[in-house]
Amino acid sequence: MSKPTSTYRVQLTPGFGFAQVAEIAPYLRELGVSHVYLSPILQAAPGSLHGYDVIDHSSIRAEFGGAAGLRELAEQLAAHDLAIVMDIVPNHMNTENAQFRSVLKDGTASPYASWFDIEWVGGKVALPVLGDGAGPKVDGDVLRYYEHEYPHPGHYRLVPFTDGPGYRRFFDVSSLIGLRVEDPAVLFATHEVIFWLLDEGLVEGLRVDHPDGLADPRGYLESLRQRSGGVWTVVEKILIGEERLPDDWACDGTTGYEVLNRITRLFVDPAGADPLIGQFVRRTGQSADYRAVVARSKREVIELFFTGEVERLARAAGADPAEVAELLAAMPVYRAYVTPGEPPPPASVELIEEIATPKTRELAQTILYGPAEAVTRFQQTTGPVMAKGVEDTALYRWYPLAALNEVGGEPDVFGIEVKEFHEFCAGMRPHTMTTLSTHDTKRSEDVRARLSVLSEMPQEWARAVEGWSAALSFDPHLDYLAWQNLLGAWPITPERFADYLLKAAREAKTRTSWVKPDAAYEKGLREFAVQATQLPVGEFAAEIEPYAMANSLGAKLVQLMMPGVPDVYQGNEMTDFSLVDPDNRRPVDFGRRPANVWDATKLLLTSQALRLRRRLPPAAPYLPLFATGEAEEHAIAFARGCIGAQELGGRERGTSQRAPKRARPSNAAVAVATRLPVRLARRGGWAATTLMLPPGSWHDLLTGSRYTGRIPLAHLMCRNPVALLERT
C-alpha cells in the first residue's frame, strides 16, 4: 500500500453516500488528491449526520450503500487512481446498540459485559436519564421513559440526567459509552470489518478518532499496526504548545491541529496583541489573563459534568475528590503518557510534579506510580476535562482574536517567527497529516484568514466595532465574539448566524447553557442575530478583502507544500466561510464554479500544489529559504525535494563560501508566501527585497513565468501574493 500524497475529507451523510462520492471521483482526481478520506462508515445511529455514534461494528452503514456500495466506490475510485482513507472510532459507541442492551438486561452475566468500561454498583449500572415530570412506565418486557426504551426487568438503575453515568463516556456525552479495546476480544469484535477492508485492499489508510480516551493508546496502535500490515495511520491527538507525539506510538503522525495553529500564527501580527486584548477586556469585562480563565473554566466543568468521573478516580487512587478535581484542572495537556507498570517518562514526571501543590503532591505520585486503575483513569479523564473546559468553554469566553481560538490553540500566543516555524517543520514526521480546516474546527481557514487581518488593523477594527455596537448591542459577554464571527463569515444568513451565537452562548455558560437554557435570553439572542446581519459589515469586509485573500492563499500554500500529507476539507479548495459544527458540515456543492478572483486563485493554487505533491517524493526534504532586504520579514519561503544546502552556492543565511557546482537534481519545488500584508502595503511594498532561488530554471505554476537566480520579490509576487515554483 502506498502512503497518500494528499487526502480530501468527505463528510458522508444519509443524503451523500458512496454513490455520490463516486460521482465526484473525476473532479477529485483532476484536483490532484491521491486519497479520499471518508468520515466513519460503520453502521451508526439512524439519521446520524457525523457517524461517530456507531451502533453496529459488524456492518457498513446501509444508508451509504452498505458493503456492496463501498466495494463499488473503491473500484470507481481506483479507476481514477484514487484510494480510500477511513475514519475509525475505537473509543466509544452509541448506547443504543444490541450489545449494551444485553448488558442492561443480564448485567455481568451478559457475554458483552467486558465490552464496556462500566462501574458496577450493587450489580447495576447507573443510567442518567431522569428529569422532571412523569416517571418511567413498564410496558411488557420494556421500560419506557420518553424516547428511551430499556429491557425490563434489568440490572440497571435510572438516575437524574445531571448525574454522571455508571460507565466511561465520550467527554460529557452520556449517549456515547466507552469501549474496552484493550481487551483483544473486544478489539477484534469492533474491528473485524475494518481489518477485512484492509485485507481486501479496499482501504489504504486510517484516521483514529480520540486515542486519548483509550486505556492504552500505545498498545492499541501497536496492535493496529501489526494487524493492518503497517497501513498509513494518523491519530486525532491534540498537542499543546511544545508537546510532541510520543515516539513509541505506532503511527505516522497526527491529524494536524498543531500544524493548523502554527500556520495561523504565522499570519498573525504579534504587535496586535496588546491593543486587541485591551479592547476585548474593555468590551467584555473579562480578565486579561487567559490562563486564569482556563483554570476557572476547567474547575466549573469538572463540577458541572465530571463529578462521577472524579469520584470514580478518587476511589481508585484512594484520594479526596477535591484533590482529584484540583489536579485535573491544573493539567495543561490532554494526556501525561504514563503507562501502568512502567517507569513514567521523565517529561511526564516533570509535568505532573510541576502542577502538583502541597495538597495534591501525594495524589500526583499515585497517578505516576500507583495502582493501574488510578494511573489509567487519570489519563482517560484529563482529555475530557481539557476538551470541555478549554475547547468548549474558555475559548468562548476569552477571544481577543478569535482566529487563534482553535482546537489545541493558545489564543494568548500571538504570532510566530519565521525561523521558529522552519524549526518546527524540520522536526515533523514526514507522513503526518497537515490541515487547515476539519469537521471539528471552530472556524474555517478563510474565516481565520479574515480575522488574522485584524491583528494588523486593531485601531480600524476598534472603530468599526464602536459603530456597530452603537447601533446594536445585546450581551457584553457575547457581542465582541459576535462581531468577529459576523465579519469572518460574511455574508451569512440570519439563521446561520443565530444558530452559531446560540451554540457559542451555551458553550460559554455565562448566561445560558445546554444544561440550563434560558429561553428569554435565547429569544433575544436570535433577534440580535437578525438585526446584526442587516448592519453594513460588508463594507469593512470589502476593505480588508485583499489582505484576507493574501492570508488565505499564503496559509494554503504553506500547508499544501510543507512536510506531511496535506488534507483538504470538503469545499475548501475554494473559499469557505463556515463556523463551528454543524455549520461546517453543511452539504457541499461540488458543481460550484469560482465566483471571484479569490475563489479562482485558491482553486488554481490547490490543484497545482496537489498535483505537484504527486510528482515529489512523499518525504521530500525541506529546506528553509530566506529573503534579503528591508521587507524580508514579510516572506515565508522554503524548498522541497532534491535540494541540498550546497546547491544554494553558500547563499543560506549565515554562510559565505561558495560550494562546487553539481548536477541539477529533478523533482524540486519552491513555495513563497506573503506574511502580514497590511504592514507590507503600508511600508510601500517589497522595495528591493530579494530571494535567492536554488540553482536551475524555475517555472511558476500559477502564472507561467520563469525565473532563475536572485529574484526581486516585487517581481515574483506582482500578480499573486504567493508563488509556487517547480524546477524544470
Side-chain angles (χ1 to χ4, degrees):
M1 295 182 183
S2 61
K3 295 185 187 295
T5 61
S6 61
T7 60
Y8 188 95
R9 168 74 178 208
V10 175
Q11 287 294 116
L12 299 168
T13 68
F16 194 88
F18 301 143
Q20 288 71 37
V21 176
E23 291 175 359
I24 64 171
Y27 169 75
L28 296 180
R29 181 61 183 89
E30 181 68 16
L31 190 63
V33 300
S34 69
H35 287 64
V36 181
Y37 161 28
L38 301 178
S39 59
I41 65 172
L42 297 183
Q43 188 61 54
S48 174
L49 295 177
H50 52 78
Y52 293 95
D53 46 358
V54 175
I55 60 173
D56 184 1
H57 289 90
S58 69
S59 63
I60 295 172
R61 194 164 175 185
E63 296 146 297
F64 297 165
L70 180 64
R71 184 180 293 278
E72 184 175 348
L73 170 61
E75 292 173 354
Q76 294 191 44
L77 290 177
H80 291 87
D81 195 24
L82 296 168
I84 294 174
V85 169
M86 66 180 293
D87 197 339
I88 63 174
V89 192
N91 176 65
H92 56 267
M93 65 186 301
N94 191 284
T95 54
E96 298 294 327
N97 66 78
Q99 292 80 15
F100 190 51
R101 190 174 183 85
S102 169
V103 173
L104 294 180
K105 182 176 184 296
D106 299 323
T108 56
S110 166
Y112 302 106
S114 64
W115 271 44
F116 307 104
D117 189 356
I118 293 174
E119 182 178 37
W120 298 100
V121 178
K124 297 184 177 182
V125 57
L127 302 179
V129 297
L130 295 177
D132 297 331
K137 297 180 179 179
V138 176
D139 183 5
D141 60 354
V142 173
L143 182 70
R144 301 186 187 279
Y145 184 69
Y146 292 95
E147 72 275 15
H148 302 286
E149 293 184 3
Y150 305 104
H152 182 78
H155 297 279
Y156 58 86
R157 60 191 177 92
L158 303 184
V159 300
F161 78 94
T162 53
D163 289 1
Y167 49 82
R168 182 175 58 82
R169 56 186 169 171
F170 172 71
F171 295 169
D172 63 331
V173 185
S174 296
S175 61
L176 297 176
I177 185 170
L179 289 164
R180 297 185 61 255
V181 292
E182 63 271 22
D183 183 328
V186 178
L187 173 64
F188 179 79
T190 56
H191 287 62
E192 182 177 7
V193 169
I194 295 168
F195 294 148
W196 164 68
L197 294 172
L198 292 169
D199 292 343
E200 289 282 310
L202 299 177
V203 168
E204 290 193 359
L206 301 173
R207 180 263 195 192
V208 179
D209 185 66
H210 189 49
D212 279 333
L214 304 179
D216 181 16
R218 185 188 67 184
Y220 168 78
L221 291 170
E222 185 58 43
S223 297
L224 195 63
R225 172 145 290 184
Q226 291 178 2
R227 180 58 183 80
S228 71
V231 69
W232 182 73
T233 302
V234 291
V235 294
E236 187 214 21
K237 178 73 188 78
I238 312 304
L239 302 172
I240 306 295
E242 298 306 310
E243 182 186 13
R244 294 293 182 269
L245 197 65
D247 292 333
D248 58 3
W249 280 26
C251 62
D252 290 278
T254 73
T255 54
Y257 282 106
E258 72 280 9
V259 175
L260 178 158
N261 284 301
R262 281 173 173 80
I263 293 176
T264 298
R265 291 205 293 269
L266 192 60
F267 297 89
V268 168
D269 189 349
D274 288 345
L276 288 176
I277 292 173
Q279 182 175 184
F280 164 76
V281 171
R282 289 190 298 274
R283 291 201 166 276
T284 65
Q286 186 62 272
S287 169
D289 184 353
Y290 168 66
R291 308 294 160 162
V293 174
V294 167
R296 183 168 63 251
S297 299
K298 291 172 73 175
R299 288 193 297 267
E300 288 180 17
V301 299
I302 289 171
E303 183 177 349
L304 186 62
F305 299 123
F306 298 118
T307 55
E309 285 82 354
V310 166
E311 291 170 358
R312 190 175 183 185
L313 177 54
R315 287 191 291 272
D320 186 329
E323 297 173 5
V324 171
E326 181 178 326
L327 198 63
L328 286 171
M331 272 290 287
V333 294
Y334 283 66
R335 194 176 183 94
Y337 311 108
V338 181
T339 302
E342 298 181 9
S348 299
V349 175
E350 181 180 358
L351 170 68
I352 297 300
E353 291 184 345
E354 183 177 323
I355 64 173
T357 64
K359 180 181 177 182
T360 60
R361 187 162 292 127
E362 184 176 348
L363 173 61
Q365 295 302 301
T366 301
I367 60 97
L368 284 170
Y369 306 101
E373 184 178 4
V375 172
T376 298
R377 294 217 175 278
F378 185 81
Q379 304 291 308
Q380 291 178 299
T381 308
T382 52
V385 170
M386 281 290 291
K388 297 305 297 182
V390 180
E391 289 179 39
D392 293 344
T393 304
L395 293 188
Y396 289 93
R397 294 180 176 181
W398 205 90
Y399 41 82
L401 183 63
L404 298 170
N405 289 41
E406 266 306 338
V407 178
E410 299 171 281
D412 59 341
V413 179
F414 279 66
I416 183 174
E417 294 294 330
V418 169
K419 183 175 182 293
E420 184 183 349
F421 184 82
H422 285 316
E423 291 170 350
F424 170 77
C425 291
M428 291 176 63
R429 296 190 184 197
H431 301 291
T432 192
M433 180 181 276
T434 70
T435 191
L436 287 179
S437 298
T438 78
H439 58 288
D440 281 334
T441 42
K442 304 298 184 185
R443 290 158 198 87
S444 70
E445 59 203 61
D446 293 321
V447 171
R448 293 198 307 275
R450 276 182 175 166
L451 296 180
S452 295
V453 177
L454 305 184
S455 68
E456 298 191 80
M457 304 174 64
Q459 289 76 28
E460 292 88 340
W461 170 243
R463 287 194 293 270
V465 170
E466 186 65 35
W468 302 333
S469 298
L472 180 66
S473 62
F474 176 65
D475 176 1
H477 293 286
L478 186 71
D479 288 4
Y480 193 57
L481 183 65
W483 298 132
Q484 290 186 64
N485 286 277
L486 182 59
L487 172 68
W490 189 268
I492 185 171
T493 65
E495 294 76 20
R496 279 181 58 209
F497 190 47
D499 288 345
Y500 168 76
L501 291 181
L502 177 62
K503 178 167 184 172
R506 287 182 173 180
E507 298 285 30
K509 308 171 190 64
T510 53
R511 292 289 304 275
T512 188
S513 69
W514 298 104
V515 177
K516 295 181 178 179
D518 183 324
Y521 175 88
E522 294 181 359
K523 180 176 182 293
L525 182 150
R526 289 194 173 276
E527 293 171 351
F528 169 81
V530 171
Q531 297 174 58
T533 54
Q534 297 171 358
L535 293 175
V537 176
E539 295 176 5
F540 192 83
E543 180 182 343
I544 69 170
E545 194 86 342
Y547 311 120
M549 175 178 164
N551 286 343
S552 167
L553 298 177
K556 198 69 171 179
L557 176 65
V558 170
Q559 183 245 335
L560 294 176
M561 294 305 299
M562 69 190 294
V565 176
D567 175 58
V568 176
Y569 183 62
Q570 59 178 27
N572 279 261
E573 62 272 27
M574 286 187 276
T575 57
D576 175 67
F577 301 102
S578 295
L579 300 174
V580 73
D581 71 277
D583 193 62
N584 59 11
R585 303 182 190 183
R586 290 170 294 140
V588 172
D589 178 8
F590 289 100
R592 171 189 169 196
R593 294 293 179 265
N596 50 48
V597 172
W598 189 347
D599 265 349
T601 310
K602 189 177 182 185
L603 179 60
L604 175 65
L605 169 62
T606 302
S607 60
Q608 290 293 345
L610 293 178
R611 294 173 193 171
L612 178 55
R613 289 303 298 260
R614 292 184 73 127
R615 299 193 292 271
L616 291 174
Y622 175 92
L623 182 70
L625 301 177
F626 295 95
T628 303
E630 62 186 57
E632 60 186 35
E633 67 170 320
H634 293 281
I636 170 73
F638 54 86
R640 299 297 312 277
C642 303
I643 299 174
Q646 65 270 32
E647 286 191 65
L648 296 181
R651 302 307 297 173
E652 277 193 286
R653 181 165 297 182
T655 65
S656 58
Q657 70 276 14
R658 180 172 296 277
K661 290 185 177 181
R662 53 178 292 172
R664 176 180 60 81
S666 59
N667 299 327
V670 166
V672 188
T674 301
R675 304 175 60 235
L676 311 180
V678 178
R679 281 210 282 121
L680 178 64
R682 288 175 176 173
R683 74 186 308 158
W686 293 105
T689 306
T690 62
L691 179 71
M692 182 68 181
L693 297 176
S697 176
W698 295 88
H699 174 216
D700 189 332
L701 299 178
L702 305 182
T703 66
S705 299
R706 295 187 179 275
Y707 303 96
T708 187
R710 182 172 295 280
I711 301 297
L713 284 178
H715 181 43
L716 181 65
M717 315 288 264
C718 65
R719 292 170 61 182
N720 293 305
V722 294
L724 176 59
L725 311 179
E726 183 177 21
R727 185 152 54 185
T728 58

